[in-house]
Amino acid sequence: MRVLVIGAGPAGARCAERVAEAGLMVTLCGTEPALPYDRIALGRVLSGEAEVPALISHDIARLRALGIAYRPSTRIATLDAATGHAVTARGDTIDFDRAVFATGSEAVRLPLPGAGLPGVFVYRSMADVIAMRRAVSDGMRVAVIGGGLLGLEAAAALSQRGARVTVVHAVGWPMERQLDPMAGALLARQLGATRRLAFAMPARSEAIEGDTHVRALRLADGARIPCEMVVMAVGVRPAIALARDAGLAVARGIVVDDAMRTSVPGVLAIGECAEHRGVVCGLVAPALAMAETAAATLRGEAAIYAPRADPTALKVSGIDVWSAGEIEPADAEAITLSDAAIGRYRRLWLRGGRLIGAVLYGDTADAPFYLNLMAEGRDVTSMRALLPFGPAFQDAA
Ligand SMILES: Cc1cc2nc3c(=O)[nH]c(=O)nc-3n(C[C@H](O)[C@H](O)[C@H](O)COP(=O)(O)OP(=O)(O)OC[C@H]3O[C@@H](n4cnc5c(N)ncnc54)[C@H](O)[C@@H]3O)c2cc1C
């Protein structure tokens, strides 16, 4: 059986590997020129802590040993599932018996005036990172639009390269989807003190000023942030155009069932381009879990993808912040432990006696304990008084 995997990001590469291990013939196509790499480690290349080769997850020898036909710089432009033909942007035809969409997401580019100027970047691919590395210089002023996980990571990495970075964020505190306002405020303060990041919050970007290159970012309130570089880190959009054109059912992502099958027989979808039970994932762990499920489906095994509460942690060294589950839900009780003097803060949310969300700041060592409680859905009423102190205190009680 010939399997075509479209997209060589983490999900596509993992699925191709598992399918090839089972002896099926696999062609893996990706638009990017590089060998499959660890996208989540791009910040290390941006900061200069690592070079490109360190991020490669599947080198030539490994792909060869697996028998995977890898085609980099190859965009699949059209696909006909009924006849089993795909055509690349260069016009080559690839025949297949089964196809797996692993086309991931694209970074959103805000349609601001000036967004097309040289010096305006998004943060998604190796090419984006290499271009930013070339453009940044010591003392350069940079505005990062978006104070979510990726925006902060890019800001910290560019600051490590000597840039003077201002983060412009629409909400009053950073990472508002993962952190409550107090943890967000602690984070902004620490990033200011240790990484020299400045914040404009809440603030909306209105235009990028400049003629031949970027000169400033203008905000909706009229304020101007003088800068020579702008990085947009304002979210991603599932890459579903090819799937839609191929006649697959799409909503926000490509609609899949528990076995990663799409609405078209013989075609599967995984990773950030897939929508499972109404949810499009934005993290690598569920993308890889979907890849494993799809590979099992292709091997003819019964497999089911079961989503979990995946935690998020900010990958900026020296800053310990972790969160999982529901953050600040209106219908839950909250327990807070706060010691500003030592920069330690915890907030837990309970509903019906069960832990449903947690934010840990300053000391994240107990994260697995809270994640387990959430995954098990255990009644924590009896341990409530000691709950914010972590497992050591539970054992002592
Ligand atoms: C800088 C950065 C840091 C991150 N950090 C974290 C983190 O700490 N933790 C975490 O869980 N997640 C993190 N993420 C998110 C994580 O990288 C994604 O969840 C993961 O990459 C999703 O994998 P994927 O294979 O579904 O999609 P992608 O990684 O987007 O890969 C899809 C690939 O398909 C290719 N493609 C698209 N269309 C076509 C086509 N028509 N033909 C051929 N190829 C095509 C694309 O070019 C791309 O290479 C981070 C992301 C970025 C950008």
Side-chain angles (χ1 to χ4, degrees), residues 195-217:
R195 300 294 172 131
R196 304 179 318 277
L197 301 188
F199 287 87
M201 298 184 293
R204 295 216 164 260
S205 307
E206 194 169 73
I208 299 166
E209 297 180 352
D211 32 45
T212 54
H213 59 273
V214 172
R215 291 194 190 284
L217 177 68

Side-chain angles (χ1 to χ4, degrees), residues 369-388:
F369 168 69
Y370 293 114
L371 192 62
N372 268 342
L373 288 179
M374 271 185 256
E376 288 168 4
R378 207 158 98 202
D379 192 321
V380 294
T381 310
S382 64
M383 53 168 90
R384 187 177 166 133
L386 293 175
L387 197 58

Side-chain angles (χ1 to χ4, degrees), residues 42-48 50 123 129 132-133 153-154 157-158 161:
L42 279 176
R44 299 179 56 226
V45 174
L46 185 59
S47 67
Y123 183 39
V129 165
M132 278 194 265
R133 252 176 78 152
E153 192 185 297
L158 289 166
R161 295 208 146 244

Side-chain angles (χ1 to χ4, degrees), residues 5-13 29-32 37-43 74-77 101-106 123-125 129 149-150 153 236 239 242 270-273 281-288 311-315:
V5 180
I6 307 164
C29 294
T31 49
E32 297 185 58
Y37 62 88
D38 181 10
R39 193 176 305 285
I40 78 169
L42 279 176
T74 302
R75 175 178 294 280
I76 299 296
F101 277 76
T103 47
S105 300
E106 286 151 9
Y123 183 39
R124 178 76 195 174
S125 67
V129 165
L149 269 174
L150 287 198
E153 192 185 297
V236 294
L242 174 67
I270 55 174
E272 285 194 359
C273 68
C281 77
L283 294 171
V284 78
L288 295 177
T312 45
L314 180 67
K315 301 192 303 296

Side-chain angles (χ1 to χ4, degrees), residues 286-372:
L288 295 177
M290 287 183 183
E292 300 283 357
T293 303
T297 302
L298 289 165
R299 294 192 304 257
E301 298 160 18
I304 287 203
Y305 167 68
R308 300 176 327 156
D310 285 302
T312 45
L314 180 67
K315 301 192 303 296
V316 173
S317 59
I319 297 198
D320 291 321
V321 55
W322 177 91
S323 79
E326 296 180 49
I327 306 304
E328 208 77 49
D331 61 342
E333 295 171 81
I335 305 175
T336 305
L337 174 73
S338 177
D339 189 339
I342 56 166
R344 193 166 186 216
Y345 174 80
R346 285 180 178 186
R347 193 161 162 87
L348 311 173
W349 289 273
L350 278 69
R351 189 185 293 125
R354 285 165 176 57
L355 184 67
I356 53 151
V359 165
L360 310 183
Y361 194 93
D363 174 4
T364 57
D366 294 339
F369 168 69
Y370 293 114
L371 192 62
N372 268 342

